[in-house]
């Protein structure tokens, strides 16, 4: 069966520090991978998606970046965090045109 | 760009009452999906609707996709406290891997 792992679960980082969030998927090949951000009590904002290794599409201009170094690994990064980067970061995977499976998310607080 | 709007933002019902949330897209969709997010949790896929006018049921939940494939609804009959959470619709366009989420409807159920 397919599983998705996302870590860490919570993170408190100072303004200006770097960020690296990792997501891995097991049990499937060539999944579509996604990073979403959810502000407290709000909807889900698509940040990045990837349909293959090294293929990244950015949806929202910001100081975040994403990379897909392996088929089932998706990484969200920042060189310098801003206060506005706080939120609930969710990784998800899907096969073409079907339901997404979300990871358990990372709650990031930038202080 | 594609937008998905969802109403109401909140609904507070007495246990046993019915609940409905509505979703409208600015563009025609290839499919619409529904997700449930429990407080503190991550979104969980409920169902996907693909055909114009499609109606699907899952126990007390009824999902509809509009004839023009631009709107959808989720109806819960006789709510229970276990139904508490935020319900999101999410639309996918014809030529896109991206899933655009509505802002969600938060359901609170009084026991």
């Amino acid at each position: 069966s397919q599983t998705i792992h996302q870590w860490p679960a919570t993170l408190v980082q100072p303004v200006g520090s770097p960020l690296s969030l990792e997501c891995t998927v097991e049990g499937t090949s060539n999944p579509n991978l996604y990073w979403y951000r959810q502000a407290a009590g709000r909807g889900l904002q698509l940040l990045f998606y990837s349909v293959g290794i090294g293929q990244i599409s950015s949806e929202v201009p910001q100081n975040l970046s994403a990379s897909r170094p392996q088929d089932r690994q998706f990484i969200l990064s920042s060189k310098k965090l801003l206060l506005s980067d706080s939120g609930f970061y969710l990784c998800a995977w899907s096969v073409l045109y079907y339901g997404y499976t979300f990871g358990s998310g990372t709650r990031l607080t930038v202080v | 760009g594609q937008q998905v709007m969802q109403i109401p933002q909140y609904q507070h019902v007495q246990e046993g009452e019915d609940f409905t949330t509505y979703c409208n897209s600015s563009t025609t969709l290839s499919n619409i999906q529904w997700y449930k997010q429990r407080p503190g949790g991550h979104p969980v896929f409920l169902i996907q609707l693909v055909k114009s006018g499609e109606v699907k049921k899952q126990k007390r939940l009824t999902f509809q996709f509009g004839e023009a494939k631009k709107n959808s609804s989720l109806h819960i009959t006789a709510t229970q406290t276990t139904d508490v959470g935020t319900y999101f619709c999410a639309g996918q366009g014809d030529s896109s891997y991206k899933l655009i989420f509505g802002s969600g409807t938060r359901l609170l159920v009084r026991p």
Side-chain angles (χ1 to χ4, degrees):
Chain A
S1 64
Q2 300 93 352
T3 56
I4 179 169
H5 303 280
Q6 191 179 343
W7 67 92
T10 59
L11 194 58
V12 180
Q13 292 283 99
V15 168
S17 63
L19 173 74
S20 181
L21 302 180
E22 188 166 343
C23 171
T24 60
V25 179
E26 295 178 358
T28 186
S29 296
N30 197 29
N32 297 328
L33 296 172
Y34 310 87
W35 279 110
Y36 282 84
R37 178 171 60 198
Q38 185 176 33
R42 305 291 295 276
L44 284 80
Q45 178 186 35
L46 178 62
L47 301 176
F48 301 95
Y49 69 96
S50 172
V51 300
I53 296 174
Q55 300 179 57
I56 308 294
S57 295
S58 173
E59 289 297 300
V60 182
Q62 59 216 325
N63 68 321
L64 300 172
S65 62
S67 62
R68 185 171 177 173
Q70 300 179 41
D71 181 44
R72 289 169 286 179
Q73 183 185 29
F74 205 22
I75 297 172
L76 182 69
S77 303
S78 174
K79 293 182 179 178
K80 289 185 178 182
L81 285 169
L82 306 173
L83 287 174
S84 57
D85 291 324
S86 294
F88 189 34
Y89 288 82
L90 291 154
C91 179
W93 74 272
S94 75
V95 294
L96 185 61
Y97 296 128
Y98 202 62
Y100 287 15
T101 300
F102 284 87
S104 53
T106 296
R107 297 193 185 278
L108 171 66
T109 304
V110 183
V111 296
Chain B
Q2 180 187 343
Q3 290 186 326
V4 177
M5 292 144 286
Q6 194 173 351
I7 58 170
Q9 188 176 6
Y10 298 98
Q11 184 118 25
H12 201 172
V13 301
Q14 186 72 39
E15 188 173 20
E17 292 181 340
D18 293 354
F19 160 78
T20 304
T21 174
Y22 301 90
C23 185
N24 282 284
S25 170
S26 58
T27 59
T28 302
L29 302 170
S30 65
N31 71 85
I32 195 154
Q33 302 174 21
W34 286 91
Y35 293 77
K36 177 182 179 180
Q37 184 176 24
R38 295 184 184 274
H42 59 276
V44 175
F45 174 72
L46 295 177
I47 207 162
Q48 181 188 43
L49 304 170
V50 179
K51 299 176 183 177
S52 170
E54 188 170 16
V55 178
K56 287 188 176 180
K57 292 190 175 184
Q58 289 181 349
K59 297 182 181 179
R60 295 177 294 104
L61 278 62
T62 302
F63 304 85
Q64 293 188 336
F65 200 9
E67 294 291 339
K69 300 184 73 173
K70 296 180 70 173
N71 63 287
S72 181
S73 65
L74 158 59
H75 180 82
I76 301 178
T77 303
T79 54
Q80 300 175 358
T81 55
T82 54
D83 295 326
V84 164
T86 300
Y87 292 85
F88 291 96
C89 64
Q92 198 162 32
D94 282 333
S95 58
S96 173
Y97 297 100
K98 298 183 297 183
L99 200 58
I100 305 302
F101 280 77
S103 53
T105 296
R106 184 178 174 191
L107 174 63
L108 304 171
V109 180
R110 290 188 297 270

